[in-house]
């Protein structure tokens, strides 16, 4: 449940519809599902296996399983710093959700221009962003301080069912609209002409992002599982609900877009949630304010479960290395993240041009480095470690409870060959895209 909460975040509810809208709908979804089957679930099980067999923090887990002569694989565990790095900007975006929830839901903009002005004014309003960011960071530190069993697990046991109830309710509401048919066509009508290298890379990146791979989250949570737990079943329980909530979010969002906007709006990018949708909700009248509020609550639930998972691996690692208390470490790391995040908020403001490097704000750079360097590198090295640094017979023994011979051979081939090739392709494409841009 905790790992599910980690994977179902803004990546599923915000990023997935955005990626689908920008990459041809069904073409993107088809590739996303195929890549989940071919490599996503294999990488997820590989990281679960590292944590499950060692029952410790990410860095010590690599060291415990490392059978190589030089014993250098423990350095891979330092990717746990990726979580706090991501939080510096992720919590800012979640802070925008909080701001829209209490400030915009019942004061929705009536046109796109007003909506753009509203969003731009928010990104330029330093105090509002810092307050909202602080609320999110405080909640994150509080629940991590309470630990996996008493804090994170219990919270997700409440939030995940509520999230599904809210979004299924919104889905049923969207079914009453004429735009629902167009939404179905957009997401499920085959059009293979739209499949191209860009869509393929986008689908690969979404699989990677949505499964919380590469930053120690899965390894850390798996350390709390039973030794003989069926990790294949566990991985499916993380993967399948995530796919379901992504599809529900896409159907719902695109229904609103087709009902009250145009086909051009489906590719609105990051502005889809904060610029396009508020205008769509306003056109529904008073019902739109209620729908907007429920949507932002659902998005907030998903987001906070992910922020908690991003902080937990680092706190667990520091807890084991320093012998300091979890409560102390959670709040100290939270305060450091808050300070750095506040600087990133300043970088979004036009009054601080010195916080812009090579045309990108510090906010954009932190986003790019964490997603395209730390996460991809961590995921690549984890797959190589399991596939090459651990003996095949040992892996077969560990997984015999849920893999027959054919399943094991496919999984082994996936983590040794398919997964590394996928991650390398994503990394090369993103570097090329950065240079060209």
């Amino acid at each position: 449940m905790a790992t599910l909460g980690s994977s179902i975040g803004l990546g599923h509810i915000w990023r997935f519809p955005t990626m689908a809208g920008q990459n041809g709908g069904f073409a993107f979804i088809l590739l996303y599902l195929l890549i989940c089957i071919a490599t996503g679930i294999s990488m997820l099980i590989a990281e679960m296996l590292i944590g499950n067999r060692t029952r410790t923090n990410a860095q010590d887990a690599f060291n415990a399983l490392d059978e190589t002569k030089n014993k250098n694989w423990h350095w891979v565990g330092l990717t746990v710093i990726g979580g706090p790095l991501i939080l510096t900007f992720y919590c800012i975006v979640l802070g925008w959700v909080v701001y829209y929830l209490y400030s915009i839901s019942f004061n929705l903009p009536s046109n796109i221009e007003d909506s753009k002005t509203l969003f731009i004014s928010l990104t330029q309003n330093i105090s509002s962003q810092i307050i909202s960011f602080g609320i999110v960071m405080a909640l994150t530190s509080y629940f991590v301080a309470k630990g996996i069993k008493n804090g994170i697990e219990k919270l997700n046991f409440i939030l995940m069912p509520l999230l599904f109830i809210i979004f299924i309710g919104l889905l049923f509401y969207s079914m009453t609209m004429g735009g629902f048919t167009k939404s179905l066509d957009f997401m499920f009508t085959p059009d293979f002409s739209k499949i191209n290298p860009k869509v393929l890379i986008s689908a690969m990146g979404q699989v990677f992002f949505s499964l919380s791979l590469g930053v120690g989250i899965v390894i850390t949570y798996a350390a709390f599982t039973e030794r003989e737990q069926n990790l294949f079943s566990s991985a499916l329980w993380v993967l399948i609900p995530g796919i379901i909530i992504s599809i529900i979010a896409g159907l719902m969002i695109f229904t609103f877009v087709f009902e009250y906007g145009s086909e051009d709006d489906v590719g609105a990018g990051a502005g889809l949630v904060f610029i396009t949708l508020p205008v769509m909700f306003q056109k529904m009248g008073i019902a739109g304010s209620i729908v907007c509020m429920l949507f932002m609550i659902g998005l907030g639930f998903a987001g906070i479960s992910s922020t908690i998972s991003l902080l937990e691996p680092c706190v667990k690692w520091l807890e084991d290395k320093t012998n300091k208390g979890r409560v102390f470490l959670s709040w100290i790391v939270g305060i450091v993240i808050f300070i750095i995040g506040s600087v990133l908020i300043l970088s979004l403001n036009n009054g601080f041009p010195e916080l812009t490097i090579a045309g990108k704000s510090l906010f954009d750079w932190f986003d790019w480095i964490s997603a395209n360097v730390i996460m991809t590198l961590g995921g690549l090295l984890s797959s190589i470690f399991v596939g090459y640094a651990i003996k095949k017979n040992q892996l077969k023994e560990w997984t015999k409870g849920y893999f027959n011979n054919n399943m094991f051979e496919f999984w082994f081939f996936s983590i040794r060959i398919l997964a590394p090739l996928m991650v390398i392709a994503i990394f090369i494409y993103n570097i090329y895209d950065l240079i060209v841009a």
Side-chain angles (χ1 to χ4, degrees):
M1 190 66 76
T3 310
L4 176 60
S6 167
S7 71
I8 297 181
L10 298 184
H12 278 293
I13 298 171
W14 175 22
R15 197 173 188 270
F16 182 89
T18 297
M19 291 290 100
Q22 293 176 334
N23 293 284
F26 177 80
F28 171 83
I29 294 169
L30 175 64
L31 290 174
Y32 172 76
L33 294 176
L34 290 175
I35 295 166
C36 277
I37 295 170
T39 61
I41 196 167
S42 297
M43 295 176 73
L44 187 60
I45 292 171
E47 291 201 8
M48 283 183 171
L49 200 59
I50 295 172
N52 175 262
R53 301 310 302 184
T54 58
R55 313 180 76 74
T56 186
N57 66 79
Q59 186 179 26
D60 289 343
F62 279 98
N63 192 55
L65 295 178
D66 187 1
E67 299 179 357
T68 61
K69 180 179 179 181
N70 296 324
K71 300 281 284 186
N72 287 325
W73 279 99
H74 66 96
W75 294 108
V76 180
L78 292 180
T79 52
V80 293
I81 67 170
L85 189 66
I86 293 170
L87 282 175
T88 58
F89 63 87
Y90 191 99
C91 284
I92 294 173
V93 176
L94 195 54
W96 297 344
V97 174
V98 173
Y99 177 82
Y100 268 64
L101 175 61
Y102 70 76
S103 182
I104 307 301
S105 292
F106 290 91
N107 190 27
L108 295 167
S110 59
N111 57 70
I112 290 293
E113 289 306 315
D114 286 349
S115 191
K116 286 180 180 176
T117 301
L118 186 69
F119 182 65
I120 292 172
S121 67
L122 170 60
T123 61
Q124 299 303 301
N125 189 328
I126 295 172
S127 59
S128 292
Q129 288 190 90
I130 287 180
I131 290 171
S132 298
F133 173 47
I135 291 171
V136 173
M137 202 61 245
L139 286 172
T140 301
S141 297
Y142 172 77
F143 283 109
V144 171
K146 293 181 73 66
I148 295 285
K149 293 291 184 183
N150 296 320
I152 300 170
E153 193 175 85
K154 287 183 178 179
L155 180 69
N156 281 295
F157 196 76
I158 297 170
L159 291 190
M160 286 302 100
L162 283 176
L163 174 67
F164 273 87
I165 290 170
I166 289 172
F167 275 84
I168 289 172
L170 290 174
L171 176 65
F172 279 119
Y173 180 78
S174 68
M175 287 178 180
T176 65
M177 300 178 179
F180 186 74
T181 302
K182 291 182 179 180
S183 180
L184 280 173
D185 289 340
F186 179 73
M187 292 188 67
F188 296 113
T189 299
D191 185 356
F192 299 108
S193 66
K194 293 183 178 179
I195 296 178
N196 56 50
K198 179 181 180 297
V199 176
L200 177 61
I201 292 294
S202 296
M204 287 179 179
Q206 178 61 23
V207 169
F208 205 82
F209 194 89
S210 63
L211 293 180
S212 302
L213 299 170
V215 288
I217 294 173
V218 176
I219 294 173
T220 301
Y221 282 174
F224 293 88
T225 57
E226 298 294 333
R227 179 56 62 86
E228 301 305 321
Q229 185 161 323
N230 186 327
L231 298 184
F232 178 61
S233 174
S234 298
L236 289 178
W237 275 105
V238 172
L239 179 69
I240 294 174
I243 292 173
I244 292 171
I245 202 71
S246 294
I247 298 296
I248 290 174
L251 283 171
M252 176 184 62
I253 289 171
F254 292 134
T255 296
F256 297 147
V257 170
F258 286 125
E259 183 77 9
Y260 297 107
S262 67
E263 291 190 16
D264 294 336
D265 293 324
V266 298
L272 187 65
V273 168
F274 296 108
I275 296 175
T276 306
L277 280 181
V279 178
M280 311 298 177
F281 293 144
Q282 193 275 339
K283 293 179 180 179
M284 298 180 192
I286 187 62
S289 292
I290 297 171
V291 171
C292 181
M293 182 179 67
L294 290 173
F295 178 80
M296 292 300 171
I297 289 173
L299 200 57
F301 283 175
I304 200 69
S305 63
S306 294
T307 62
I308 290 167
S309 70
L310 287 165
L311 184 58
E312 169 61 26
C314 182
V315 169
K316 172 64 176 171
W317 176 69
L318 288 171
E319 192 178 17
D320 290 347
K321 296 298 182 183
T322 66
N323 293 319
K324 299 290 185 182
R326 167 174 284 269
V327 175
F328 172 78
L329 292 171
S330 298
W331 286 104
I332 286 296
V333 176
I335 289 170
V336 172
I337 293 169
F338 177 75
I339 293 170
I340 297 173
S342 297
V343 175
L344 299 191
I345 288 173
L346 295 180
S347 77
L348 292 172
N349 190 282
N350 294 333
F352 296 88
E354 63 272 16
L355 297 178
T356 297
I357 302 172
K360 284 180 178 285
S361 67
L362 284 182
F363 178 95
D364 292 329
W365 276 114
F366 270 59
D367 184 357
W368 191 90
I369 291 170
S370 60
N372 299 313
V373 178
I374 293 179
M375 289 185 75
T376 51
L377 184 62
L380 172 64
L381 293 176
S382 294
S383 293
I384 293 174
F385 174 74
V386 174
Y388 292 93
I390 302 176
K391 292 182 176 64
K392 183 177 181 179
N393 288 339
Q394 183 71 77
L395 293 173
K396 184 171 287 190
E397 176 66 23
W398 289 344
T399 59
K400 66 181 182 181
Y402 43 90
F403 280 158
N404 61 33
N405 188 61
N406 290 334
M407 290 173 67
F408 175 83
E409 291 298 333
F410 175 79
W411 172 75
F412 192 62
F413 173 75
S414 179
I415 59 169
R416 283 174 62 96
I417 308 296
L418 296 182
L421 286 176
M422 181 188 80
V423 178
I424 291 170
I426 295 171
F427 187 74
I428 292 174
Y429 178 86
N430 287 328
I431 294 293
Y432 171 78
D433 190 54
L434 177 67
I435 295 172
V436 172

